Amino acid sequence: EVQLQESGPSLVKPSQTLSLTCSVTGDSITSGYWNWIRKFPGNKLEYMGYISYSGSTYYNPSLKSRISITRDTSKNQFYLQLNSVTTEDTATYYCTRYRGNYDYTMDYWGQGTSVTVSS
Amino acid sequence: DIVLIQSPATLSVTPGDSVSLSCRASQSINNNLHWYQQKSHESPRLLIKYSSQSISGIPSRFSGSGSGTDFTLSINSVETEDFGMYFCQQSNRWPLTFGAGTKLELK
């Protein structure tokens, strides 16, 4: 069974960097595509980006200047960094997997971690 | 970006009712439309992929249809465990986008 678990601080100050970790068990991050998705208060979901099995990345253009997704294959973890956060970045952050091979559905999700941006 | 409009925003039903949830895309997305269910305090769960393909482990009362810009998720005889939020997601064009959701609640 594939399991994903997000971790990181629940409170970040405005202008600082939000950093989250996704730990994966039951699958290797050297296969498939590993994503970050966030859900704002009020239920809107936003796709943020992915890191692929090969280490290539895609970022939502709405975030492109602020986001970085990296990985550590030895730990089977991938990471999200979001720079210069504002209160608008307050959300629940999910890490997910999609298989690839033309299947772009999120078949596994982490439990989500709530992040509040506030001074 | 492709905008997905879900309707209604809220659907109040009684267990045993059969319901249809709508997702309309701002441009044609072929059959690249997927449905997720999210219950309170849980993560989203994939229900239907590529408009009508069933997912292992999902009850057969859930079904999907549509192509192009108009899609429907149908629940045949709603059960109490079905109450929650339903989201559609498109994968026809990047960035992937989601609808705002339909809340299925107890009448």
Side-chain angles (χ1 to χ4, degrees):
Chain A
E1 174 77 12
V2 179
Q3 293 188 323
L4 297 87
Q5 176 73 59
E6 305 90 348
S7 59
S10 60
L11 181 64
V12 181
K13 290 183 174 9
S15 80
Q16 294 190 341
T17 296
L18 182 160
S19 297
L20 297 176
T21 297
C22 183
S23 301
V24 179
T25 57
D27 194 6
S28 170
I29 64 170
T30 58
S31 66
Y33 293 76
W34 303 89
N35 313 270
W36 290 98
I37 293 169
R38 61 183 177 176
K39 189 179 186 189
F40 298 103
N43 286 324
K44 178 185 173 183
L45 285 160
E46 180 181 54
Y47 182 81
M48 300 180 74
Y50 71 67
I51 188 162
S52 76
Y53 60 93
S54 67
S56 64
T57 55
Y58 168 86
Y59 303 133
N60 190 320
S62 68
L63 299 166
K64 202 159 192 175
S65 62
R66 298 198 293 134
I67 188 174
S68 176
I69 301 175
T70 57
R71 67 178 183 171
D72 185 334
T73 56
S74 67
K75 294 181 178 179
N76 216 37
Q77 294 177 334
F78 64 105
Y79 312 101
L80 171 69
Q81 280 200 323
L82 189 64
N83 301 323
S84 305
V85 297
T86 72
T87 56
E88 304 284 299
D89 296 307
T90 293
T92 297
Y93 288 76
Y94 296 95
C95 55
T96 74
R97 182 193 86 165
Y98 75 79
R99 291 178 186 274
N101 289 327
Y102 304 103
D103 189 338
Y104 300 100
T105 56
M106 309 298 160
D107 56 356
Y108 290 99
W109 296 65
Q111 67 185 26
T113 187
S114 179
V115 178
T116 300
V117 179
S118 175
S119 54
Chain B
D1 295 3
I2 293 176
V3 177
L4 299 176
I5 304 296
Q6 291 189 245
S7 61
T10 303
L11 195 51
S12 301
V13 304
T14 300
D17 289 349
S18 291
V19 299
S20 294
L21 285 63
S22 173
C23 180
R24 179 166 291 178
S26 57
Q27 60 186 268
S28 176
I29 57 172
N30 302 297
N31 70 334
N32 298 308
L33 190 284
H34 322 294
W35 292 94
Y36 298 84
Q37 175 195 63
Q38 186 173 27
K39 299 181 188 179
S40 183
H41 305 299
E42 294 185 7
S43 302
R45 173 174 74 149
L46 181 63
L47 287 180
I48 297 287
K49 65 180 183 180
Y50 293 97
S51 179
S52 61
Q53 293 183 24
S54 59
I55 302 297
S56 175
I58 299 301
S60 59
R61 63 181 179 274
F62 292 95
S63 62
S65 63
S67 65
T69 60
D70 291 324
F71 300 87
T72 300
L73 174 70
S74 299
I75 310 175
N76 183 24
S77 190
V78 170
E79 298 191 5
T80 54
E81 65 185 33
D82 300 337
F83 294 111
M85 291 293 298
Y86 290 81
F87 296 96
C88 55
Q89 176 231 323
Q90 66 80 24
S91 61
N92 194 68
R93 190 178 292 271
W94 293 86
L96 307 182
T97 53
F98 292 84
T102 290
K103 181 179 182 180
L104 188 68
E105 65 176 23
L106 182 63
K107 183 183 287 184

